[in-house]
Amino acid sequence: FFLSSSKIVQNTLSQKMRCTCTDHSHDLGDDGGVSLIESVDIESVRCLNEAVHGSCKTIIKHYEDRDNAEPYMESNEDDVEMIMHVPFTEGVRLTKISVTGHTSGSSPRALKLWSNRPDIDFSNASDLPPSQTIELVDPDTHATFEGNLDYPLRGSKFNNCTHLTIFFEENFGADITRINYVGFKGARTNTRHGIVQCVYEARPVPSDHQKVKDEGTGGVI
């Protein structure tokens, strides 16, 4: 499923023409859902090929901070690719993603997204079909929209997402990729994300099991 940047710009223009409200913060939510920043497990966010370890955690900001150029995340020099892993503390229904890049060609050109695939890395990202691919707007040519674009997601692919993988594969020509903001909108599904521990026995060991007395026969079971 591919989404082009020209389609996004047309939709944004249409929305701006229809909008007559006086408060444009839209932080609490809109028809695309509410901000899901409170559902992101920030401490567990990680990114492959980020120049500064842990900088990926700082770009998941509140909506009102989306235009702040700092803090930011950038790739290692002469290597524009990055793979960002975003786990959630609960199942969420993702409906929109927002990405603010930097200027001078360092903004990402496109996103490849996978839902519930924490195993994605550089060894398999180019071979596995993504849940969705999104072409991003170039901030050098569409500065008016930079930081204010919500890219819609294909609902059927992100209905119960507990982990989102984002592949920034290329940019607009710079030697590094720089990202100032990543945000998510949608709804919580109230499904807690956790690990269920189970013990499986290849062969039962009688001494490991508690013996219960059968009151009817006086024996044990």
Side-chain angles (χ1 to χ4, degrees), residues 48 81-83 112 114 119-130 165-169:
L48 305 179
E81 295 184 342
M82 289 186 286
I83 297 179
K112 288 184 178 179
W114 288 267
D119 60 315
I120 299 292
D121 57 26
F122 290 116
S123 70
N124 57 15
S126 298
D127 300 325
L128 296 175
T165 303
I166 310 172
F167 184 18
F168 305 99
E169 191 171 16

Side-chain angles (χ1 to χ4, degrees), residues 47-124:
C47 187
L48 305 179
N49 198 42
E50 59 180 349
V52 178
H53 179 69
S55 59
C56 57
K57 302 175 183 180
T58 68
I59 65 171
I60 301 178
K61 308 171 184 176
H62 288 279
Y63 184 78
E64 61 268 22
D65 298 324
R66 68 193 183 282
D67 293 327
N68 293 345
E70 294 184 357
Y72 60 85
M73 174 181 74
E74 64 183 13
S75 65
N76 285 305
E77 190 172 358
D78 296 324
D79 191 352
V80 302
E81 295 184 342
M82 289 186 286
I83 297 179
M84 186 174 177
H85 287 276
V86 182
F88 296 91
T89 59
E90 58 187 334
V92 298
R93 180 171 59 87
L94 288 171
T95 56
K96 291 183 178 182
I97 186 172
S98 180
V99 176
T100 301
H102 197 58
T103 55
S104 303
S106 63
S107 183
R109 179 186 291 270
L111 306 177
K112 288 184 178 179
L113 306 173
W114 288 267
S115 177
N116 299 330
R117 289 299 303 263
D119 60 315
I120 299 292
D121 57 26
F122 290 116
S123 70
N124 57 15

Side-chain angles (χ1 to χ4, degrees):
F1 183 78
F2 180 81
L3 188 64
S4 69
S5 60
S6 59
K7 179 90 171 166
I8 291 293
V9 171
Q10 291 172 6
N11 289 343
T12 302
L13 276 171
S14 177
Q15 291 169 4
K16 284 179 177 291
M17 291 176 66
R18 290 198 307 264
C19 182
T20 58
C21 65
T22 56
D23 179 10
H24 286 269
S25 65
H26 296 291
D27 193 32
L28 295 179
D30 53 28
D31 57 357
V34 299
S35 171
L36 293 174
I37 188 171
E38 301 300 333
S39 297
V40 177
D41 185 359
I42 297 290
E43 291 305 312
S44 298
V45 173
R46 59 188 176 91
C47 187
L48 305 179
N49 198 42
E50 59 180 349
V52 178
H53 179 69
S55 59
C56 57
K57 302 175 183 180
T58 68
I59 65 171
I60 301 178
K61 308 171 184 176
H62 288 279
Y63 184 78
E64 61 268 22
D65 298 324
R66 68 193 183 282
D67 293 327
N68 293 345
E70 294 184 357
Y72 60 85
M73 174 181 74
E74 64 183 13
S75 65
N76 285 305
E77 190 172 358
D78 296 324
D79 191 352
V80 302
E81 295 184 342
M82 289 186 286
I83 297 179
M84 186 174 177
H85 287 276
V86 182
F88 296 91
T89 59
E90 58 187 334
V92 298
R93 180 171 59 87
L94 288 171
T95 56
K96 291 183 178 182
I97 186 172
S98 180
V99 176
T100 301
H102 197 58
T103 55
S104 303
S106 63
S107 183
R109 179 186 291 270
L111 306 177
K112 288 184 178 179
L113 306 173
W114 288 267
S115 177
N116 299 330
R117 289 299 303 263
D119 60 315
I120 299 292
D121 57 26
F122 290 116
S123 70
N124 57 15
S126 298
D127 300 325
L128 296 175
S131 303
Q132 184 170 344
T133 299
I134 302 175
E135 180 184 300
L136 302 182
V137 170
D138 184 356
D140 288 318
T141 56
H142 294 87
T144 302
F145 301 105
E146 176 65 357
N148 295 287
L149 288 178
D150 291 330
Y151 297 88
L153 301 180
R154 191 177 183 183
S156 61
K157 298 292 186 179
F158 303 92
N159 267 338
N160 189 25
C161 182
T162 58
H163 188 108
L164 183 68
T165 303
I166 310 172
F167 184 18
F168 305 99
E169 191 171 16
E170 58 181 330
N171 60 23
F172 288 95
D175 292 333
I176 61 170
T177 297
R178 176 169 164 175
I179 303 166
N180 301 337
Y181 167 75
V182 174
F184 312 97
K185 286 184 179 180
R188 300 174 180 87
T189 63
N190 295 320
T191 301
R192 301 301 297 179
H193 177 50
I195 300 175
V196 178
Q197 295 183 338
C198 300
V199 177
Y200 298 93
E201 292 182 322
R203 180 180 299 171
V205 180
S207 61
D208 291 341
H209 297 267
Q210 183 179 3
K211 296 179 180 179
V212 180
K213 185 175 182 179
D214 188 332
E215 296 180 355
T217 65
V220 293
I221 57 175

